[in-house]
PDB file of all heavy atoms in Angstrom:
ATOM      1  N   HIS A 443      69.407 -93.840 156.497  1.00 80.00           N
ATOM      2  CA  HIS A 443      69.857 -94.661 157.622  1.00 80.00           C
ATOM      3  C   HIS A 443      68.801 -95.661 158.134  1.00 80.00           C
ATOM      4  O   HIS A 443      69.154 -96.556 158.877  1.00 80.00           O
ATOM      5  CB  HIS A 443      70.290 -93.768 158.790  1.00 80.00           C
ATOM      6  CG  HIS A 443      71.398 -92.834 158.427  1.00 80.00           C
ATOM      7  ND1 HIS A 443      72.693 -93.209 158.256  1.00 80.00           N
ATOM      8  CD2 HIS A 443      71.393 -91.466 158.180  1.00 80.00           C
ATOM      9  CE1 HIS A 443      73.461 -92.159 157.932  1.00 80.00           C
ATOM     10  NE2 HIS A 443      72.663 -91.099 157.897  1.00 80.00           N
ATOM     11  N   GLY A 444      67.558 -95.454 157.778  1.00 81.00           N
ATOM     12  CA  GLY A 444      66.508 -96.336 158.272  1.00 81.00           C
ATOM     13  C   GLY A 444      65.948 -95.879 159.616  1.00 81.00           C
ATOM     14  O   GLY A 444      66.356 -94.852 160.175  1.00 81.00           O
ATOM     15  N   ARG A 445      65.055 -96.682 160.139  1.00 82.00           N
ATOM     16  CA  ARG A 445      64.387 -96.311 161.387  1.00 82.00           C
ATOM     17  C   ARG A 445      65.150 -96.856 162.584  1.00 82.00           C
ATOM     18  O   ARG A 445      65.615 -98.008 162.612  1.00 82.00           O
ATOM     19  CB  ARG A 445      62.965 -96.917 161.377  1.00 82.00           C
ATOM     20  CG  ARG A 445      62.097 -96.534 162.580  1.00 82.00           C
ATOM     21  CD  ARG A 445      60.712 -97.151 162.477  1.00 82.00           C
ATOM     22  NE  ARG A 445      59.965 -96.589 161.380  1.00 82.00           N
ATOM     23  CZ  ARG A 445      59.705 -97.228 160.230  1.00 82.00           C
ATOM     24  NH1 ARG A 445      60.246 -98.445 160.033  1.00 82.00           N
ATOM     25  NH2 ARG A 445      59.024 -96.654 159.282  1.00 82.00           N
ATOM     26  N   GLU A 446      65.320 -96.000 163.606  1.00 80.00           N
ATOM     27  CA  GLU A 446      65.983 -96.420 164.808  1.00 80.00           C
ATOM     28  C   GLU A 446      65.175 -97.477 165.548  1.00 80.00           C
ATOM     29  O   GLU A 446      63.969 -97.312 165.732  1.00 80.00           O
ATOM     30  CB  GLU A 446      66.200 -95.219 165.731  1.00 80.00           C
ATOM     31  CG  GLU A 446      67.143 -94.162 165.155  1.00 80.00           C
ATOM     32  CD  GLU A 446      67.301 -92.966 166.071  1.00 80.00           C
ATOM     33  OE1 GLU A 446      66.617 -92.955 167.099  1.00 80.00           O
ATOM     34  OE2 GLU A 446      68.075 -92.087 165.726  1.00 80.00           O
ATOM     35  N   THR A 447      65.809 -98.550 165.987  1.00 78.00           N
ATOM     36  CA  THR A 447      65.151 -99.604 166.683  1.00 78.00           C
ATOM     37  C   THR A 447      65.360 -99.579 168.182  1.00 78.00           C
ATOM     38  O   THR A 447      64.608-100.237 168.926  1.00 78.00           O
ATOM     39  CB  THR A 447      65.635-100.990 166.193  1.00 78.00           C
ATOM     40  OG1 THR A 447      67.026-101.121 166.499  1.00 78.00           O
ATOM     41  CG2 THR A 447      65.455-101.103 164.664  1.00 78.00           C
ATOM     42  N   GLY A 448      66.348 -98.810 168.648  1.00 77.00           N
ATOM     43  CA  GLY A 448      66.648 -98.751 170.068  1.00 77.00           C
ATOM     44  C   GLY A 448      67.455 -99.931 170.561  1.00 77.00           C
ATOM     45  O   GLY A 448      67.734-100.055 171.787  1.00 77.00           O
ATOM     46  N   ARG A 449      67.911-100.844 169.657  1.00 83.00           N
ATOM     47  CA  ARG A 449      68.691-102.017 170.039  1.00 83.00           C
ATOM     48  C   ARG A 449      70.184-101.758 169.731  1.00 83.00           C
ATOM     49  O   ARG A 449      70.506-101.379 168.625  1.00 83.00           O
ATOM     50  CB  ARG A 449      68.188-103.208 169.259  1.00 83.00           C
ATOM     51  CG  ARG A 449      68.862-104.523 169.683  1.00 83.00           C
ATOM     52  CD  ARG A 449      68.027-105.708 169.202  1.00 83.00           C
ATOM     53  NE  ARG A 449      67.859-105.724 167.778  1.00 83.00           N
ATOM     54  CZ  ARG A 449      68.685-106.381 166.935  1.00 83.00           C
ATOM     55  NH1 ARG A 449      69.709-107.046 167.392  1.00 83.00           N
ATOM     56  NH2 ARG A 449      68.459-106.361 165.631  1.00 83.00           N
ATOM     57  N   LEU A 450      71.018-101.922 170.717  1.00 82.00           N
ATOM     58  CA  LEU A 450      72.465-101.676 170.598  1.00 82.00           C
ATOM     59  C   LEU A 450      73.211-102.978 170.393  1.00 82.00           C
ATOM     60  O   LEU A 450      72.869-104.015 171.001  1.00 82.00           O
ATOM     61  CB  LEU A 450      73.000-100.957 171.806  1.00 82.00           C
ATOM     62  CG  LEU A 450      72.393 -99.554 172.093  1.00 82.00           C
ATOM     63  CD1 LEU A 450      72.976 -98.990 173.375  1.00 82.00           C
ATOM     64  CD2 LEU A 450      72.641 -98.615 170.938  1.00 82.00           C
ATOM     65  N   VAL A 451      74.251-102.914 169.575  1.00 83.00           N
ATOM     66  CA  VAL A 451      75.089-104.073 169.285  1.00 83.00           C
ATOM     67  C   VAL A 451      76.550-103.664 169.516  1.00 83.00           C
ATOM     68  O   VAL A 451      76.980-102.585 169.043  1.00 83.00           O
ATOM     69  CB  VAL A 451      74.910-104.589 167.848  1.00 83.00           C
ATOM     70  CG1 VAL A 451      75.893-105.700 167.549  1.00 83.00           C
ATOM     71  CG2 VAL A 451      73.469-105.065 167.648  1.00 83.00           C
ATOM     72  N   MET A 452      77.302-104.512 170.249  1.00 81.00           N
ATOM     73  CA  MET A 452      78.738-104.221 170.445  1.00 81.00           C
ATOM     74  C   MET A 452      79.543-104.861 169.320  1.00 81.00           C
ATOM     75  O   MET A 452      79.421-106.058 169.016  1.00 81.00           O
ATOM     76  CB  MET A 452      79.189-104.768 171.787  1.00 81.00           C
ATOM     77  CG  MET A 452      80.666-104.530 172.069  1.00 81.00           C
ATOM     78  SD  MET A 452      81.216-105.172 173.655  1.00 81.00           S
ATOM     79  CE  MET A 452      80.425-104.033 174.759  1.00 81.00           C
ATOM     80  N   MET A 453      80.327-104.051 168.665  1.00 81.00           N
ATOM     81  CA  MET A 453      81.202-104.528 167.579  1.00 81.00           C
ATOM     82  C   MET A 453      82.453-105.194 168.193  1.00 81.00           C
ATOM     83  O   MET A 453      82.751-105.033 169.356  1.00 81.00           O
ATOM     84  CB  MET A 453      81.610-103.339 166.690  1.00 81.00           C
ATOM     85  CG  MET A 453      80.417-102.569 166.115  1.00 81.00           C
ATOM     86  SD  MET A 453      79.347-103.591 165.104  1.00 81.00           S
ATOM     87  CE  MET A 453      80.405-103.849 163.681  1.00 81.00           C
ATOM     88  N   PRO A 454      83.192-105.990 167.371  1.00 85.00           N
ATOM     89  CA  PRO A 454      84.405-106.669 167.901  1.00 85.00           C
ATOM     90  C   PRO A 454      85.414-105.723 168.511  1.00 85.00           C
ATOM     91  O   PRO A 454      86.156-106.106 169.430  1.00 85.00           O
ATOM     92  CB  PRO A 454      84.955-107.348 166.653  1.00 85.00           C
ATOM     93  CG  PRO A 454      83.784-107.591 165.791  1.00 85.00           C
ATOM     94  CD  PRO A 454      82.890-106.410 166.026  1.00 85.00           C
ATOM     95  N   ASN A 455      85.474-104.478 168.018  1.00 83.00           N
ATOM     96  CA  ASN A 455      86.415-103.511 168.585  1.00 83.00           C
ATOM     97  C   ASN A 455      85.890-102.777 169.779  1.00 83.00           C
ATOM     98  O   ASN A 455      86.508-101.844 170.279  1.00 83.00           O
ATOM     99  CB  ASN A 455      86.819-102.495 167.484  1.00 83.00           C
ATOM    100  CG  ASN A 455      85.603-101.706 166.996  1.00 83.00           C
ATOM    101  OD1 ASN A 455      84.493-101.929 167.430  1.00 83.00           O
ATOM    102  ND2 ASN A 455      85.857-100.789 166.053  1.00 83.00           N
ATOM    103  N   GLY A 456      84.717-103.179 170.260  1.00 78.00           N
ATOM    104  CA  GLY A 456      84.119-102.582 171.480  1.00 78.00           C
ATOM    105  C   GLY A 456      83.216-101.413 171.195  1.00 78.00           C
ATOM    106  O   GLY A 456      82.607-100.865 172.129  1.00 78.00           O
ATOM    107  N   GLU A 457      83.097-101.023 169.935  1.00 81.00           N
ATOM    108  CA  GLU A 457      82.216 -99.900 169.570  1.00 81.00           C
ATOM    109  C   GLU A 457      80.766-100.312 169.701  1.00 81.00           C
ATOM    110  O   GLU A 457      80.379-101.412 169.293  1.00 81.00           O
ATOM    111  CB  GLU A 457      82.510 -99.423 168.158  1.00 81.00           C
ATOM    112  CG  GLU A 457      81.692 -98.231 167.709  1.00 81.00           C
ATOM    113  CD  GLU A 457      81.937 -97.829 166.282  1.00 81.00           C
ATOM    114  OE1 GLU A 457      82.702 -98.549 165.600  1.00 81.00           O
ATOM    115  OE2 GLU A 457      81.386 -96.809 165.830  1.00 81.00           O
ATOM    116  N   MET A 458      79.929 -99.416 170.267  1.00 82.00           N
ATOM    117  CA  MET A 458      78.503 -99.679 170.421  1.00 82.00           C
ATOM    118  C   MET A 458      77.745 -98.978 169.279  1.00 82.00           C
ATOM    119  O   MET A 458      77.914 -97.774 169.072  1.00 82.00           O
ATOM    120  CB  MET A 458      78.002 -99.160 171.757  1.00 82.00           C
ATOM    121  CG  MET A 458      78.687 -99.798 172.966  1.00 82.00           C
ATOM    122  SD  MET A 458      78.375-101.587 173.124  1.00 82.00           S
ATOM    123  CE  MET A 458      76.602-101.587 173.479  1.00 82.00           C
ATOM    124  N   LEU A 459      76.961 -99.754 168.515  1.00 78.00           N
ATOM    125  CA  LEU A 459      76.206 -99.205 167.429  1.00 78.00           C
ATOM    126  C   LEU A 459      74.731 -99.589 167.579  1.00 78.00           C
ATOM    127  O   LEU A 459      74.425-100.673 168.059  1.00 78.00           O
ATOM    128  CB  LEU A 459      76.697 -99.730 166.073  1.00 78.00           C
ATOM    129  CG  LEU A 459      78.125 -99.366 165.683  1.00 78.00           C
ATOM    130  CD1 LEU A 459      78.544-100.057 164.366  1.00 78.00           C
ATOM    131  CD2 LEU A 459      78.254 -97.838 165.537  1.00 78.00           C
ATOM    132  N   GLU A 460      73.842 -98.634 167.187  1.00 77.00           N
ATOM    133  CA  GLU A 460      72.403 -98.904 167.199  1.00 77.00           C
ATOM    134  C   GLU A 460      71.972 -99.547 165.904  1.00 77.00           C
ATOM    135  O   GLU A 460      72.402 -99.133 164.834  1.00 77.00           O
ATOM    136  CB  GLU A 460      71.614 -97.608 167.445  1.00 77.00           C
ATOM    137  CG  GLU A 460      70.112 -97.858 167.566  1.00 77.00           C
ATOM    138  CD  GLU A 460      69.318 -96.587 167.788  1.00 77.00           C
ATOM    139  OE1 GLU A 460      69.876 -95.488 167.561  1.00 77.00           O
ATOM    140  OE2 GLU A 460      68.140 -96.667 168.170  1.00 77.00           O
TER     141      GLU A 460
END
Side-chain angles (χ1 to χ4, degrees):
H443 301 286
R445 184 179 293 105
E446 296 178 356
T447 63
R449 186 161 60 92
L450 298 178
V451 175
M452 180 181 288
M453 305 300 289
N455 61 359
E457 182 183 6
M458 301 295 293
L459 296 176
E460 183 181 15

